[in-house]
Amino acid sequence: MKKQTPPGPEPAPAKKTTAPAEKTAVTAKKATPAAKKTAGAAKKAASTAKKATPAAKKAAATSKKAPAAAKLPQESRTALVRRARRINRELAEVYSYAHPELDFENPFELLVATVLSAQTTDLRVNQTTPRLFARYPTPEDLAAAVPEEVEELIRPTGFFRAKTKSIMGLAKALTEDFGGEVPGRVEDLVKLPGVGRKTAFVVLGNAFGVPGITVDTHFGRLVRRWRWTEETDPEKVEAAVGALFPKSEWTMLSHRVIFHGRRICHSRKPACGACPIAPLCPSYGEGETDPEKAKKLLKYEMGGFPGQRLKPPADYPGKPAPPLAEG
């Protein structure tokens, strides 16, 4: 009889193998909360992007309309100097009568008037100073004045309390330190109360004949528009522009540029269509280019209106400004 081999253990049932597709489905099913969260965030981002589309389109359209002047090629130093000097020559022809637009009879009056001109117009200063100087004609007189009386006289110029303190302080300094005379050096002038480099160069250039560049808001705005410099700090502007011209031109250059800024090249809406130096200006087109419309933007004598001085120079082609109305 053939010996029978005892039966072995039953083979373990085969493990159920999950198909790749099924496995993926299971995994996805388990990850549903996180996946839903991610999907929700993505959906929200897409919705936000969709809503921002109009603004993005508008910004893109605006950038396409940017003036071509912003993409001008780099100008060499030699070309810059030539263009700057040509602009100065053109302005000299247009404003052959350029002058300081503050009325004054001596260095002291010019110094005080320049300090008072901060944050107001030269016209308002010129309308105010006649009574002030009639009452206090010398530094000694002003230094000994009653502050409240000075405040009342210069009230029309604004910031009258601070300005009273400055002009009485400089009058006292002139009396005690300089024998009642206005010094003729920038180092001395800037030590006086309320006197900075701009004021110092106005006085030096127009009362003493010492060349200087006056960097006021008009001057700074125009030299940046003309790409003479990108500086905004007044002393750096002064240095950068001064390097483009001989010293002998500095004072009159300042007057011409300031005249042009007040009459034609205004801050908000330059009269580009009436500008005599338009072909030399890299910012042409920032303002009104239509000649007829531009003419209506001209100010003072350019527009046929009174200037800022009550007593302008003899060669001034415009009308004298009227005195301050009584009231």
Side-chain angles (χ1 to χ4, degrees), residues 51-109:
K51 289 179 182 177
T53 299
K57 284 182 178 178
K58 188 175 181 181
T62 303
S63 65
K64 286 181 181 178
K65 294 179 181 179
K71 298 180 180 179
L72 287 177
Q74 186 66 34
E75 188 175 33
S76 70
R77 177 70 180 179
T78 300
L80 170 60
V81 171
R82 288 175 177 170
R83 183 170 62 84
R85 294 187 179 188
R86 186 177 171 190
I87 286 176
N88 183 40
R89 290 195 297 272
E90 295 285 343
L91 294 180
E93 291 186 14
V94 176
Y95 306 110
S96 58
Y97 51 87
H99 57 270
E101 295 192 89
L102 288 169
D103 286 324
F104 69 98
E105 298 293 335
N106 53 60
F108 172 64
E109 290 188 1

Side-chain angles (χ1 to χ4, degrees), residues 232-307:
T232 56
D233 178 77
E235 286 194 40
K236 291 181 179 179
V237 172
E238 179 190 316
V241 176
L244 301 175
F245 299 91
K247 282 188 176 183
S248 59
E249 285 292 312
W250 287 359
T251 299
M252 288 310 300
L253 169 72
S254 299
H255 290 319
R256 293 164 191 153
V257 173
I258 293 171
F259 258 57
H260 193 63
R262 286 175 169 170
R263 287 152 176 76
I264 296 178
C265 196
H266 312 135
S267 176
R268 295 184 181 178
K269 199 169 184 180
C272 295
C275 181
I277 61 166
L280 300 170
C281 181
S283 298
Y284 174 79
E286 286 188 9
E288 180 58 66
T289 56
D290 181 85
E292 292 305 315
K293 292 180 179 178
K295 284 181 183 178
K296 296 178 181 179
L297 300 175
L298 302 181
K299 293 183 178 180
Y300 306 118
E301 74 281 357
M302 291 292 188
F305 302 105

Side-chain angles (χ1 to χ4, degrees), residues 9-22:
E10 286 187 9
K15 287 185 178 179
K16 190 175 180 182
T17 305
T18 306
E22 287 181 302

Side-chain angles (χ1 to χ4, degrees), residues 1-7:
M1 186 174 186
K2 192 174 180 182
K3 192 175 181 181
Q4 293 183 349
T5 305

